[in-house]
Amino acid sequence: MRTRAVFAASAAVAVAAFLFASGARTEELKQYDSNNKQFWTHPPDDWFMGDETQELKGTNYLNTLPPATSFTKDEIEAKLKNIKLPAGFKIELYASGVSDARQMAWGDKGTLFVGSLFLAKGTVQAVVNEGGKTSIKTVISKGLRMPSGIAFRDGALYVADIDKIYKYDNAEANLDNLPAPQVVYDDMPPYVPHGWKYLTFDKDGWLYVALGPPCNICLPPTSTSQVRHINPANGTAEIVALGVRNSVGGDVDPRTGDYWFTENARDWLGQDTPGDKLNHVAKLGENFGYPHCHQGDIPDPKFAMGHKCSEFSPPALNLGAHMAPLGMKFYTGSQFPADYKNNIIVAEHGSWNRSKYQGGRLMRVTVDADGKNAKEVEFASGWIGADGKYLGRPNDVIVAKDGSLLVADDYNGAIYRISYSK
Amino acid sequence: MMKTRNLLLLAIAGFVWSFEYGPALAADAAAGKELAEGCAGCHGADGVSQTPLTPSLAGEPDDFIQWQLVFFRGGTRKNEVMGPIAEALDNQQIRNLGAYYASLSPPKSQSASIADPLAQAGASLAVQHRCKSCHGEDFTGGGPAARLAGQREDVLLKALRDYKTGARVGTGVASMTDVTYELSDTDMQALAHYMATLR
């Protein structure tokens, strides 16, 4: 612990010196003074937003929050008319009133569990579908911090808190009164910034989970900036990937069993740089470059520290700057046209650290199982209105039993259903 | 750059649902004014409070007013007077109240003398704790972040103390809980004094 704090603190001195040298104007810019011990006993919860630059001054995550009174079913349905999809596809409202909807997971009996992040104050909700009519239940109402990451397997609901993964047995039969959870894993750092998670089961019942650094850009404290593979049955874990910034989306390739994940690149380097990434873990322990190298070919102006980008694994695909790719899934259904099989659908939450918003859409990625020939096209777009404001912010997708695709939108507190018919 | 920021914040603060996308009614400041007659007893006839521990609402950002009413209504923010009042409000009334109070001229404060050491201490704490990043270059607020300039000093101090003890939780990312974590009571007094005396 001690070594880690000292190491991190010396990095912080370097950052502070850099900022100091960059001129008197910086005193008007928001910056974090990490050059003291107290900072490291409790890095600020909003440190993920990072030090401001003149170019992007005034951009702030808070600006992208939905209005307080949220939206009615009618308002959300009216906005869906703005969404563009390829021919033959349609989008409809599946459920509204799912406050702050983040990662989704299917129960065995068809209950859709939905995690939340900032606004729903630690709740997990469930969308119950009875004969086509949906109702919303808050199944966990307190005691959790930023439970964005959830998963379901063999009757049990798994929920990631900042530093614990909980298991709620027999969850679907007890929606009104979940049993007390067991802690199945707790070897995770306590940092709030980038402490929210996304959980992905592989076929053997191990979970993939990424642990983000508590900062925008820094020398990551030990045990952050990595993806782990965790066996919730006994707490065993291995490190799958290193050099990873904030990753809140991933899936297992049905063709190979390999893990793929989205990664949000650092902020404040420019309106259009560096690109967010889609990564493919081809071998255990690969390093994807953070904080030294971004998008596979941009050395960090401060944190390259002598490293070359060629030392690190490049992304399978550069998804573009500030797109905020979050939840992703391989399309494994059979309702969509045949060429969608095993494509990746990525939910892009959209930017905050950019003067003009971009993202706020679903992308369709086609890529070979070995990571070659990656290409993307827009699948669903239109969540940024003609006036440049958000109409919605998709952040997760999940394939339904009938092959349709559900989409979570935390801006509208809504779940959509995208279906295809000839 | 100031421009971009202000435009952005205005865009959020003045959030009015456009007819193009939805059937909802636009916020109606006139209806809000009528409704606000019931608030005047404590918050002042023109939204400028003369009541201890009761905030001035004039010139607060539209979104800030709305968020606080929603927090009172849902019980996230607890207050025995405001709780029952907010419970009786529907979404449209909350939007109208936001629009009304945002349209009023903010309170005029007594400018502190340059030599006021407490205000000076507050000014430097405000820089150290990055207050401008959410509350705006002139602390006039924006979006869900409150206007602080010219607010009653007792209100500001109580808010800081409540954030520190966890009695109150902010809108975004727990920033206020976090900022106050490091503040001593003397620090909070200095900050409240500085903001209250800002023009």
Side-chain angles (χ1 to χ4, degrees), chain A residues 345-362:
Chain A
I345 305 290
V346 178
E348 291 185 348
H349 200 213
S351 62
W352 63 266
N353 183 226
R354 194 169 189 277
S355 304
K356 196 167 174 264
Y357 296 147
Q358 66 180 10
R361 57 185 182 169
L362 304 181

PDB file of all heavy atoms in Angstrom, chain A residues 345-362:
ATOM      1  N   ILE A 345     -22.806  -5.261 -31.678  1.00  0.00           N
ATOM      2  CA  ILE A 345     -23.553  -4.004 -31.575  1.00  0.00           C
ATOM      3  C   ILE A 345     -23.003  -3.255 -30.356  1.00  0.00           C
ATOM      4  O   ILE A 345     -22.957  -3.788 -29.247  1.00  0.00           O
ATOM      5  CB  ILE A 345     -25.071  -4.242 -31.400  1.00  0.00           C
ATOM      6  CG1 ILE A 345     -25.619  -5.121 -32.528  1.00  0.00           C
ATOM      7  CG2 ILE A 345     -25.804  -2.906 -31.322  1.00  0.00           C
ATOM      8  CD1 ILE A 345     -25.680  -4.479 -33.894  1.00  0.00           C
ATOM      9  N   VAL A 346     -22.547  -2.019 -30.610  1.00  0.00           N
ATOM     10  CA  VAL A 346     -21.952  -1.201 -29.550  1.00  0.00           C
ATOM     11  C   VAL A 346     -22.865  -0.013 -29.257  1.00  0.00           C
ATOM     12  O   VAL A 346     -23.277   0.697 -30.178  1.00  0.00           O
ATOM     13  CB  VAL A 346     -20.558  -0.663 -29.982  1.00  0.00           C
ATOM     14  CG1 VAL A 346     -19.966   0.221 -28.886  1.00  0.00           C
ATOM     15  CG2 VAL A 346     -19.621  -1.801 -30.328  1.00  0.00           C
ATOM     16  N   ALA A 347     -23.171   0.201 -27.975  1.00  0.00           N
ATOM     17  CA  ALA A 347     -23.955   1.371 -27.582  1.00  0.00           C
ATOM     18  C   ALA A 347     -23.008   2.530 -27.282  1.00  0.00           C
ATOM     19  O   ALA A 347     -22.151   2.415 -26.404  1.00  0.00           O
ATOM     20  CB  ALA A 347     -24.806   1.060 -26.355  1.00  0.00           C
ATOM     21  N   GLU A 348     -23.142   3.608 -28.040  1.00  0.00           N
ATOM     22  CA  GLU A 348     -22.318   4.800 -27.793  1.00  0.00           C
ATOM     23  C   GLU A 348     -23.132   5.826 -27.011  1.00  0.00           C
ATOM     24  O   GLU A 348     -24.093   6.398 -27.512  1.00  0.00           O
ATOM     25  CB  GLU A 348     -21.822   5.388 -29.119  1.00  0.00           C
ATOM     26  CG  GLU A 348     -20.807   4.475 -29.779  1.00  0.00           C
ATOM     27  CD  GLU A 348     -20.205   5.079 -31.044  1.00  0.00           C
ATOM     28  OE1 GLU A 348     -20.730   6.102 -31.552  1.00  0.00           O
ATOM     29  OE2 GLU A 348     -19.209   4.534 -31.532  1.00  0.00           O
ATOM     30  N   HIS A 349     -22.710   6.057 -25.788  1.00  0.00           N
ATOM     31  CA  HIS A 349     -23.426   6.927 -24.858  1.00  0.00           C
ATOM     32  C   HIS A 349     -23.391   8.384 -25.308  1.00  0.00           C
ATOM     33  O   HIS A 349     -24.283   9.168 -25.035  1.00  0.00           O
ATOM     34  CB  HIS A 349     -22.769   6.790 -23.484  1.00  0.00           C
ATOM     35  CG  HIS A 349     -23.619   7.208 -22.338  1.00  0.00           C
ATOM     36  ND1 HIS A 349     -23.084   7.777 -21.209  1.00  0.00           N
ATOM     37  CD2 HIS A 349     -24.951   7.129 -22.116  1.00  0.00           C
ATOM     38  CE1 HIS A 349     -24.070   8.035 -20.357  1.00  0.00           C
ATOM     39  NE2 HIS A 349     -25.201   7.646 -20.874  1.00  0.00           N
ATOM     40  N   GLY A 350     -22.326   8.759 -26.003  1.00  0.00           N
ATOM     41  CA  GLY A 350     -22.175  10.131 -26.480  1.00  0.00           C
ATOM     42  C   GLY A 350     -21.256  10.953 -25.586  1.00  0.00           C
ATOM     43  O   GLY A 350     -20.986  10.601 -24.443  1.00  0.00           O
ATOM     44  N   SER A 351     -20.800  12.071 -26.119  1.00  0.00           N
ATOM     45  CA  SER A 351     -19.721  12.837 -25.480  1.00  0.00           C
ATOM     46  C   SER A 351     -20.223  13.785 -24.395  1.00  0.00           C
ATOM     47  O   SER A 351     -21.377  14.183 -24.383  1.00  0.00           O
ATOM     48  CB  SER A 351     -19.006  13.664 -26.554  1.00  0.00           C
ATOM     49  OG  SER A 351     -19.908  14.593 -27.144  1.00  0.00           O
ATOM     50  N   TRP A 352     -19.321  14.145 -23.481  1.00  0.00           N
ATOM     51  CA  TRP A 352     -19.528  15.325 -22.625  1.00  0.00           C
ATOM     52  C   TRP A 352     -18.355  16.280 -22.798  1.00  0.00           C
ATOM     53  O   TRP A 352     -18.511  17.486 -22.737  1.00  0.00           O
ATOM     54  CB  TRP A 352     -19.711  14.928 -21.149  1.00  0.00           C
ATOM     55  CG  TRP A 352     -18.518  14.252 -20.499  1.00  0.00           C
ATOM     56  CD1 TRP A 352     -18.311  12.900 -20.390  1.00  0.00           C
ATOM     57  CD2 TRP A 352     -17.373  14.879 -19.907  1.00  0.00           C
ATOM     58  NE1 TRP A 352     -17.102  12.665 -19.776  1.00  0.00           N
ATOM     59  CE2 TRP A 352     -16.508  13.847 -19.459  1.00  0.00           C
ATOM     60  CE3 TRP A 352     -16.992  16.216 -19.704  1.00  0.00           C
ATOM     61  CZ2 TRP A 352     -15.286  14.111 -18.839  1.00  0.00           C
ATOM     62  CZ3 TRP A 352     -15.771  16.471 -19.072  1.00  0.00           C
ATOM     63  CH2 TRP A 352     -14.936  15.426 -18.645  1.00  0.00           C
ATOM     64  N   ASN A 353     -17.161  15.732 -23.071  1.00  0.00           N
ATOM     65  CA  ASN A 353     -15.936  16.537 -23.130  1.00  0.00           C
ATOM     66  C   ASN A 353     -15.670  17.011 -24.565  1.00  0.00           C
ATOM     67  O   ASN A 353     -14.592  16.815 -25.121  1.00  0.00           O
ATOM     68  CB  ASN A 353     -14.763  15.689 -22.596  1.00  0.00           C
ATOM     69  CG  ASN A 353     -13.449  16.449 -22.548  1.00  0.00           C
ATOM     70  OD1 ASN A 353     -12.416  15.945 -22.958  1.00  0.00           O
ATOM     71  ND2 ASN A 353     -13.476  17.678 -22.083  1.00  0.00           N
ATOM     72  N   ARG A 354     -16.687  17.613 -25.163  1.00  0.00           N
ATOM     73  CA  ARG A 354     -16.571  18.068 -26.535  1.00  0.00           C
ATOM     74  C   ARG A 354     -17.566  19.218 -26.695  1.00  0.00           C
ATOM     75  O   ARG A 354     -18.661  19.174 -26.129  1.00  0.00           O
ATOM     76  CB  ARG A 354     -16.950  16.924 -27.486  1.00  0.00           C
ATOM     77  CG  ARG A 354     -16.568  17.149 -28.923  1.00  0.00           C
ATOM     78  CD  ARG A 354     -16.732  15.860 -29.738  1.00  0.00           C
ATOM     79  NE  ARG A 354     -16.161  16.021 -31.072  1.00  0.00           N
ATOM     80  CZ  ARG A 354     -16.807  16.579 -32.078  1.00  0.00           C
ATOM     81  NH1 ARG A 354     -18.048  17.018 -31.923  1.00  0.00           N
ATOM     82  NH2 ARG A 354     -16.201  16.707 -33.253  1.00  0.00           N
ATOM     83  N   SER A 355     -17.197  20.265 -27.459  1.00  0.00           N
ATOM     84  CA  SER A 355     -18.068  21.434 -27.561  1.00  0.00           C
ATOM     85  C   SER A 355     -19.398  21.076 -28.195  1.00  0.00           C
ATOM     86  O   SER A 355     -20.448  21.613 -27.849  1.00  0.00           O
ATOM     87  CB  SER A 355     -17.393  22.531 -28.371  1.00  0.00           C
ATOM     88  OG  SER A 355     -16.149  22.834 -27.780  1.00  0.00           O
ATOM     89  N   LYS A 356     -19.340  20.171 -29.201  1.00  0.00           N
ATOM     90  CA  LYS A 356     -20.559  19.735 -29.877  1.00  0.00           C
ATOM     91  C   LYS A 356     -20.700  18.240 -29.605  1.00  0.00           C
ATOM     92  O   LYS A 356     -19.770  17.479 -29.866  1.00  0.00           O
ATOM     93  CB  LYS A 356     -20.374  20.006 -31.379  1.00  0.00           C
ATOM     94  CG  LYS A 356     -21.606  19.993 -32.195  1.00  0.00           C
ATOM     95  CD  LYS A 356     -21.306  20.602 -33.589  1.00  0.00           C
ATOM     96  CE  LYS A 356     -22.529  20.467 -34.485  1.00  0.00           C
ATOM     97  NZ  LYS A 356     -22.488  19.297 -35.352  1.00  0.00           N
ATOM     98  N   TYR A 357     -21.852  17.838 -29.078  1.00  0.00           N
ATOM     99  CA  TYR A 357     -22.017  16.424 -28.736  1.00  0.00           C
ATOM    100  C   TYR A 357     -21.917  15.521 -29.961  1.00  0.00           C
ATOM    101  O   TYR A 357     -22.382  15.870 -31.041  1.00  0.00           O
ATOM    102  CB  TYR A 357     -23.383  16.171 -28.085  1.00  0.00           C
ATOM    103  CG  TYR A 357     -23.588  16.870 -26.761  1.00  0.00           C
ATOM    104  CD1 TYR A 357     -24.839  17.323 -26.389  1.00  0.00           C
ATOM    105  CD2 TYR A 357     -22.530  17.054 -25.878  1.00  0.00           C
ATOM    106  CE1 TYR A 357     -25.043  17.951 -25.166  1.00  0.00           C
ATOM    107  CE2 TYR A 357     -22.727  17.679 -24.660  1.00  0.00           C
ATOM    108  CZ  TYR A 357     -23.982  18.130 -24.314  1.00  0.00           C
ATOM    109  OH  TYR A 357     -24.179  18.748 -23.108  1.00  0.00           O
ATOM    110  N   GLN A 358     -21.331  14.353 -29.773  1.00  0.00           N
ATOM    111  CA  GLN A 358     -21.407  13.321 -30.801  1.00  0.00           C
ATOM    112  C   GLN A 358     -21.479  11.954 -30.136  1.00  0.00           C
ATOM    113  O   GLN A 358     -21.163  11.797 -28.961  1.00  0.00           O
ATOM    114  CB  GLN A 358     -20.241  13.410 -31.790  1.00  0.00           C
ATOM    115  CG  GLN A 358     -18.879  13.107 -31.184  1.00  0.00           C
ATOM    116  CD  GLN A 358     -17.755  13.203 -32.215  1.00  0.00           C
ATOM    117  OE1 GLN A 358     -17.982  13.677 -33.322  1.00  0.00           O
ATOM    118  NE2 GLN A 358     -16.579  12.762 -31.856  1.00  0.00           N
ATOM    119  N   GLY A 359     -21.866  10.935 -30.920  1.00  0.00           N
ATOM    120  CA  GLY A 359     -22.164   9.623 -30.331  1.00  0.00           C
ATOM    121  C   GLY A 359     -23.673   9.550 -30.138  1.00  0.00           C
ATOM    122  O   GLY A 359     -24.427  10.099 -30.932  1.00  0.00           O
ATOM    123  N   GLY A 360     -24.109   8.905 -29.053  1.00  0.00           N
ATOM    124  CA  GLY A 360     -25.551   8.796 -28.838  1.00  0.00           C
ATOM    125  C   GLY A 360     -26.200   7.966 -29.926  1.00  0.00           C
ATOM    126  O   GLY A 360     -27.142   8.399 -30.585  1.00  0.00           O
ATOM    127  N   ARG A 361     -25.677   6.762 -30.155  1.00  0.00           N
ATOM    128  CA  ARG A 361     -26.157   5.930 -31.257  1.00  0.00           C
ATOM    129  C   ARG A 361     -25.691   4.490 -31.027  1.00  0.00           C
ATOM    130  O   ARG A 361     -24.889   4.217 -30.129  1.00  0.00           O
ATOM    131  CB  ARG A 361     -25.607   6.448 -32.588  1.00  0.00           C
ATOM    132  CG  ARG A 361     -24.091   6.491 -32.574  1.00  0.00           C
ATOM    133  CD  ARG A 361     -23.488   7.118 -33.819  1.00  0.00           C
ATOM    134  NE  ARG A 361     -22.023   7.062 -33.709  1.00  0.00           N
ATOM    135  CZ  ARG A 361     -21.192   7.329 -34.697  1.00  0.00           C
ATOM    136  NH1 ARG A 361     -21.657   7.684 -35.868  1.00  0.00           N
ATOM    137  NH2 ARG A 361     -19.891   7.242 -34.515  1.00  0.00           N
ATOM    138  N   LEU A 362     -26.179   3.582 -31.858  1.00  0.00           N
ATOM    139  CA  LEU A 362     -25.696   2.205 -31.842  1.00  0.00           C
ATOM    140  C   LEU A 362     -24.881   1.971 -33.101  1.00  0.00           C
ATOM    141  O   LEU A 362     -25.279   2.380 -34.195  1.00  0.00           O
ATOM    142  CB  LEU A 362     -26.857   1.206 -31.814  1.00  0.00           C
ATOM    143  CG  LEU A 362     -27.877   1.318 -30.682  1.00  0.00           C
ATOM    144  CD1 LEU A 362     -28.933   0.217 -30.816  1.00  0.00           C
ATOM    145  CD2 LEU A 362     -27.205   1.221 -29.318  1.00  0.00           C
TER     146      LEU A 362
END
